[in-house]
Amino acid sequence: MPNAAIRTEGLTKRYGEVVALDHLDLEVAQGEVVGYLGPNGAGKTTTIRLLLGLSQPTEGRGAIFGLDCHRQPVETHRRVAFVAGEANLWPSLTGAETLALLGRVHGHFDEVYRDELIDQFDLDPTKKVRAYSKGNHQKVILIAALMVRPDLLVLDEPTSGLDPLMEQAFRHCIGEARERGQTVFLSSHIMSEVEALCDRVGILRDGRLIEMGTLAEMRHLSALSVEATLDGPVPDLSAVPGVSAVEADGKVLRCQVRGSIDPLLKALAATGVTELLSREPSLEELFLAQYGADGHAG
Amino acid sequence: MRVDLGIRARITAPVRPGGSPASVVAALSARKAIRSGVLWGYIFGIAIASSQISYTRIYKTPTQRDALAATYGTNKAMSALFGPAPQLQTVGGFTVFKISMTLMILGAVWGLLTSTRLLRGEEDSGRWDLLLTGQATRRGATAQAIAGLGAGVVVLWVVTAIITVLSGLTSSVKIPASSSLYFALAMVATSVIFLAIGAVTSQLAATRRQAASFGAAFLGVSYALRLVADAGVGLHGLTWASPLGWVEELQPLTSSQPLALLPIVAFTAVLVAVAVHLAGARDVGESIVHDRAHSVAHLGLLSGPTGLAIRLMRATVIGWWVAIAVSALLYGVIAKSAGATISGSLEEMFSKLGATGTGADAVLGLCFLIEAFLIAFVAAGQVTSARAEESGGRVDHFLTRPLSRPSWLGGRLLVALAVLVLSGVGAGIFAWLGAATQHTGLSFTTLLEAGVNLVPPAIVVLGIGVLAFGIRPRWTSIIVYGVLGWSLLLVIVGGIGAINHWVLDTSVFHHMASAPAVHPNWEANGIMTAVGLATALVGGLAFRRRDLQGE
Ligand SMILES: Nc1ncnc2c1ncn2[C@@H]1O[C@H](COP(=O)(O)OP(=O)(O)OP(=O)(O)O)[C@@H](O)[C@H]1O
Ligand SMILES: [Mg+2]
């Protein structure tokens, strides 16, 4: 059995009293594109810094392609590339110099592909980092990570500051990486990005992984949004099983349905229905349902 | 809908991190400047008090004092180095001679570093972006920050003055409080001027480091002008051509000349006005002196972190080397004529200052203490720049790639050691060149050894710095500069002779023999080097196991 790209067992990080990450058990198979979501302070960056060996775990361990993240950082890093949400580059180097430096430190990289990426992301590599905008900083570290074609890409809010066109280019590159069989671990606050790219999604809250599955599985667990225009006034639906969040606006009904939609249809049959729209929840709605409904702190 | 409105309302509310928005910047910069002003005020005060007390203990009789004045008061080489010494028969005149030049330069460096840190440094860190989205305008914010710096320098003066007045009131010293206040004022005058210079260079430069180096260049030129003016070559008028000269012309404790405050105040006022004006004429984070936005790629050194470190530090290190080489050359040149006049009681004074023997080698032994301090300063800079790579998050680029922490840190340490050794060798060679022009008769190997002799204390500073970096990374800079400041203070205060040798032993310079006045103590040097390397090793091991930490 091939090693998982990422595997953690009881990975825990405490900062004094704060439990930033609480016994995380996570497994990402090779070739998977996995999204990693969670509100601010949930522990996403903490997880990633532990996986990269930048911080030491309080308990538990993590492995990348079967190699211990803390004991064998150098071996691990040969197969990994990381993009942080903040670029923190050297202001006096140009983009080209930065890319050359980072490529050489990695050991080997595809120069043709680098030039392609520079084109795709529309970066002017002769400019000094000091003169780049925030989005351009981000482009530099994205290109530096992609150009080495790593087996595993670890991305922590990689597109912060990119404009929609560049966001598009980013998605295109991740699509290519997936086709080549690279594994991608993407922490993000941009739901549409995760929805478009990821096979599986993990949701973290207060340092705990509370949900992990494919989008389809997660949708199944959650409610369907229904909007109906009726012939008459909205009837009392409080006794109908599975129906919640009812909003009546004259003849227009909005509600959420969990499980079968049949009882709702039966209850509305007497009034008569002119129009009925039902929609699967977007990832954003799933996410908000997890956090929004029961308050931010949970 | 309601939630939405709530959020928007929060965003548009003025940013007020404590206090009214009108004075946030002033309060922030005042807090930091005052903290530093208190610390340096103590150092200034203790240095002054210790010179006064040591004088009254060493030169008790009028005969001794006359002998001192006869030899030193007329020695032009010494006056080039430490400023003129008109009244060595009095404790005031001696205090000015012994300590004022050191304090003037330290004060200038303090002013420059503090103002570039609180103006350009704060701006580069992005904190100003936050403040300026509040109600402060660019010019307003700069004016406020300068006001905060002003508060810092007032505190520096107050603390210095209190200690100076107290020392002056002791029965043996007997200097009136008003004279002490005026002397303290003169001693912080360079701080005032260089705070203002730092404020201007902070507007001109593109980075904090560049701002500091523009100011340092100005200080270097100013020192050189003053040196020529006091060297007795008929150019005394040149004292009026530099800020250090004006401060000298205040002539505290000897023949006070408050008129010299005029150019100081006027120059400072103009600089402040220029700084505030320039601040409004540029964008946040931009510079007035344009640094080219585009550049051809120079990949030569960019093969890894060590090459990068060399490239990034090149300009700064070369600046230090120029300072070390030029000062060593000057010391070499003046050594013979200054040494020729050392005799009798002066020998004793020299030995109290750390040198033994007589003649040019004694003078150089003393001057090399200054070089030792410069080189230790370079060592401290090497450690803090490694820490800055970490706190700025830039080291992450290396440590998330196939590169181990030991090789990253080890590479930097090797560069640092090479820089230190070359600094010492350079000091020796340039002192020899200077001495050779005067046929001083000191051999090349003697001075080369004396130069190498300066390196071990710097290695100890480096080692302590790396230890701090490994164990308490956020304290690196405070610890390493604390050790340096403490060691320097003990060298200055050591002259009193009343300090317990256990305390003196904590100065990294105390274990260094004052070569070329005496032979280098290679055994002590070996021990210092071993201690420095061992502490660095422990620090390196600790670094391997710890979390990377931002600011
Ligand atoms: N160095 C540190 N010292 C103390 N606490 C920390 C440190 N780093 C992170 N934390 C805490 O750990 C928790 C998790 O932080 P983390 O940065 O991993 O969150 P995140 O999910 O990445 O959030 P965001 O979406 O805002 O990036 C937070 O409560 C944070 O305050
Ligand atoms: Mg984060």
Side-chain angles (χ1 to χ4, degrees):
Chain A
M1 179 190 115
N3 283 313
I6 298 175
R7 170 178 288 131
T8 69
E9 287 165 21
L11 194 61
T12 302
K13 181 72 184 176
R14 283 189 215 103
Y15 292 104
E17 295 286 284
V18 181
V19 185
L21 195 65
D22 193 1
H23 294 93
L24 176 75
D25 295 310
L26 179 77
E27 183 157 335
V28 175
Q30 294 195 18
E32 258 192 315
V33 178
V34 169
Y36 200 47
L37 306 176
N40 295 131
K44 303 180 296 295
T45 301
T46 303
T47 310
I48 287 174
R49 293 183 73 80
L50 287 167
L51 286 173
L52 292 166
L54 297 177
S55 318
Q56 312 294 314
T58 315
E59 252 177 70
R61 53 207 171 105
I64 285 180
F65 298 115
L67 298 163
D68 190 287
C69 297
H70 304 100
R71 299 216 178 81
Q72 298 157 285
V74 175
E75 292 77 2
T76 324
H77 293 163
R78 277 190 231 292
R79 303 185 62 183
V80 178
F82 166 54
V83 178
E86 269 196 43
N88 299 326
L89 295 166
W90 297 273
S92 59
L93 300 193
T94 66
E97 287 171 336
T98 308
L99 290 173
L101 172 69
L102 297 180
R104 285 176 184 177
V105 174
H106 192 88
H108 54 84
F109 66 96
D110 184 343
E111 293 192 15
V112 180
Y113 185 44
R114 175 197 59 193
D115 296 340
E116 258 176 48
L117 287 167
I118 289 177
D119 258 10
Q120 272 179 31
F121 283 103
D122 195 22
L123 179 79
D124 175 356
T126 65
K127 247 189 181 178
K128 285 195 180 164
V129 165
R130 183 178 295 131
Y132 280 145
S133 65
K134 158 109 175 89
N136 281 317
H137 284 218
Q138 213 55 31
K139 289 180 195 173
V140 173
I141 59 169
L142 265 171
I143 295 172
L146 291 165
M147 74 186 184
V148 300
R149 297 190 196 271
D151 295 330
L152 170 63
L153 269 164
V154 177
L155 313 171
D156 190 3
E157 299 180 41
T159 55
S160 48
L162 291 192
D163 65 37
L165 217 61
M166 292 304 128
E167 170 78 35
Q168 204 79 50
F170 167 74
R171 291 186 191 186
H172 174 77
C173 291
I174 297 301
E176 277 185 355
R178 174 217 299 274
E179 276 162 33
R180 268 198 301 272
Q182 289 167 259
T183 311
V184 180
F185 188 68
L186 168 68
S187 148
S188 175
H189 284 299
I190 304 176
M191 297 301 157
S192 56
E193 181 179 279
V194 175
E195 204 161 13
L197 295 172
C198 297
D199 307 321
R200 281 204 301 153
V201 177
I203 298 184
L204 198 65
R205 178 164 68 177
D206 294 337
R208 258 177 291 225
L209 190 66
I210 50 166
E211 198 87 65
M212 181 90 206
T214 62
L215 278 177
E217 282 167 359
M218 290 174 77
R219 286 199 174 113
H220 183 75
L221 291 172
S222 102
L224 204 63
S225 311
V226 174
E227 188 176 323
T229 313
L230 309 179
D231 287 338
V234 177
D236 178 23
L237 298 172
S238 54
V240 183
V243 174
S244 61
V246 178
E247 273 178 51
D249 181 7
K251 291 179 174 180
V252 180
L253 159 75
R254 282 188 210 90
C255 65
Q256 305 272 318
V257 183
R258 219 174 268 272
S260 168
I261 195 173
D262 224 36
L264 175 68
L265 291 181
K266 289 212 174 89
L268 295 180
T271 324
V273 179
T274 344
E275 201 185 336
L276 185 113
L277 285 169
S278 83
R279 198 168 46 75
E280 284 192 319
S282 68
L283 183 56
E284 187 142 3
E285 283 162 319
L286 285 177
F287 188 82
L288 289 176
Q290 282 290 351
Y291 301 112
D294 43 10
H296 203 80
Chain B
M1 242 7 231
R2 232 186 230 160
V3 177
D4 202 355
L5 281 175
I7 291 169
R8 207 169 295 152
R10 208 176 307 148
I11 291 171
T12 46
V15 186
R16 296 183 180 198
S20 77
S23 59
V24 174
V25 181
L28 280 179
S29 84
R31 201 170 62 209
K32 293 184 178 175
I34 287 175
R35 223 183 282 157
S36 169
V38 170
L39 176 71
W40 284 94
Y42 276 120
I43 294 180
F44 277 34
I46 291 173
I48 292 167
S50 79
S51 321
Q52 297 181 337
I53 293 167
S54 67
Y55 178 82
T56 57
R57 290 197 180 175
I58 298 172
Y59 304 102
K60 294 198 177 81
T61 65
T63 334
Q64 284 173 324
R65 294 184 176 189
D66 285 339
L68 175 72
T71 43
Y72 266 117
T74 51
N75 188 316
K76 285 301 172 192
M78 290 314 270
S79 105
L81 257 191
F82 300 112
Q87 292 175 26
L88 288 177
Q89 296 91 335
T90 67
V91 61
F94 176 79
T95 307
V96 170
F97 173 62
K98 166 142 185 224
I99 203 74
S100 69
M101 188 54 61
T102 311
L103 293 189
M104 277 160 64
I105 290 173
L106 272 183
V109 171
W110 177 82
L112 195 58
L113 292 182
T114 308
S115 87
T116 50
R117 177 163 63 98
L118 296 184
L119 285 161
R120 193 72 212 191
E122 292 288 291
E123 185 175 334
D124 288 350
S125 73
R127 277 185 278 268
W128 277 40
D129 294 343
L130 268 177
L131 296 171
L132 292 180
T133 51
Q135 302 187 348
T137 63
R138 300 248 340 101
R139 283 194 175 125
T142 305
Q144 282 189 38
I146 293 174
L149 292 168
V153 84
V154 167
V155 169
L156 174 71
W157 175 68
V158 168
V159 176
T160 308
I162 290 174
I163 302 177
T164 310
V165 168
L166 289 179
S167 165
L169 292 179
T170 56
S171 59
S172 56
V173 177
K174 273 193 271 190
I175 292 176
S178 60
S179 304
S180 291
L181 288 176
Y182 179 70
F183 177 56
L185 183 68
M187 291 302 96
V188 302
T190 54
S191 303
V192 175
I193 298 170
F194 279 85
L195 280 175
I197 294 209
V200 172
T201 61
S202 290
Q203 313 306 319
L204 297 176
T207 61
R208 173 189 164 190
R209 190 190 296 188
Q210 203 179 26
S213 47
F214 286 171
F218 186 85
L219 176 61
V221 171
S222 179
Y223 181 81
L225 281 175
R226 186 215 57 80
L227 188 147
V228 174
D230 290 334
V233 287
L235 291 170
H236 192 72
L238 271 183
T239 31
W240 292 100
S242 80
L244 291 185
W246 302 333
V247 175
E248 214 172 86
E249 288 297 339
L250 288 172
Q251 302 187 18
L253 302 184
T254 50
S255 40
S256 303
Q257 188 174 215
L259 210 65
L261 281 172
L262 223 64
I264 295 174
V265 171
F267 187 57
T268 305
V270 169
L271 287 173
V272 167
V274 168
V276 172
H277 174 78
L278 289 178
R282 67 186 181 94
D283 295 330
V284 176
E286 293 292 305
S287 55
I288 298 280
V289 175
H290 266 291
D291 154 85
R292 276 174 311 149
H294 294 263
S295 158
V296 198
H298 298 286
L299 301 180
L301 284 168
L302 297 179
S303 55
T306 308
L308 175 72
I310 293 174
R311 169 161 162 177
L312 296 181
M313 294 182 317
R314 202 167 38 187
T316 315
V317 167
I318 289 176
W320 279 109
W321 279 347
V322 170
I324 290 169
V326 170
S327 55
L329 190 77
L330 283 174
Y331 298 150
V333 170
I334 63 163
K336 189 177 179 186
S337 68
T341 54
I342 297 183
S343 63
S345 62
L346 280 186
E347 245 178 279
E348 194 186 347
M349 182 201 136
F350 262 84
S351 75
K352 291 293 178 195
L353 286 169
T356 53
T358 55
D361 51 353
V363 173
L364 279 176
L366 178 63
C367 293
F368 268 37
L369 259 176
I370 300 174
E371 301 292 301
F373 186 70
L374 287 181
I375 297 174
F377 217 82
V378 174
Q382 296 285 312
V383 181
T384 53
S385 83
R387 169 60 191 153
E389 288 291 281
E390 182 194 5
S391 60
R394 294 182 292 276
V395 74
D396 295 10
H397 296 297
F398 293 125
L399 300 185
T400 57
R401 290 188 163 79
L403 188 97
S404 67
R405 293 190 191 193
S407 49
W408 176 76
L409 187 61
R412 291 194 71 107
L413 286 183
L414 284 181
V415 172
L417 284 173
V419 166
L420 298 181
V421 171
L422 288 175
S423 305
V425 168
I429 292 177
F430 279 89
W432 174 77
L433 281 175
T437 61
Q438 306 298 311
H439 308 287
T440 308
L442 284 164
S443 79
F444 180 74
T445 35
T446 306
L447 288 178
L448 187 64
E449 280 181 358
V452 173
N453 182 56
L454 304 173
V455 179
I459 293 179
V460 174
V461 170
L462 187 73
I464 294 172
V466 175
L467 185 66
F469 174 72
I471 293 174
R472 283 279 174 277
R474 295 197 172 98
W475 288 71
T476 306
S477 165
I478 293 178
I479 290 177
V480 79
Y481 287 110
V483 165
L484 255 186
W486 173 251
S487 300
L488 177 70
L489 183 69
L490 286 183
V491 168
I492 297 172
V493 175
I496 300 179
I499 291 186
N500 186 294
H501 75 98
W502 292 107
V503 177
L504 284 178
D505 276 348
T506 61
S507 163
V508 297
F509 303 114
H510 186 66
H511 308 276
M512 184 188 82
S514 297
V518 294
H519 281 296
N521 181 346
W522 295 117
E523 194 188 334
N525 286 345
I527 293 172
M528 277 194 274
T529 307
V531 167
L533 295 180
T535 43
L537 185 70
V538 174
L541 289 175
F543 173 59
R544 243 178 104 165
R545 280 162 225 281
R546 70 167 169 83
D547 292 357
L548 293 188
Q549 296 179 23
E551 287 206 37

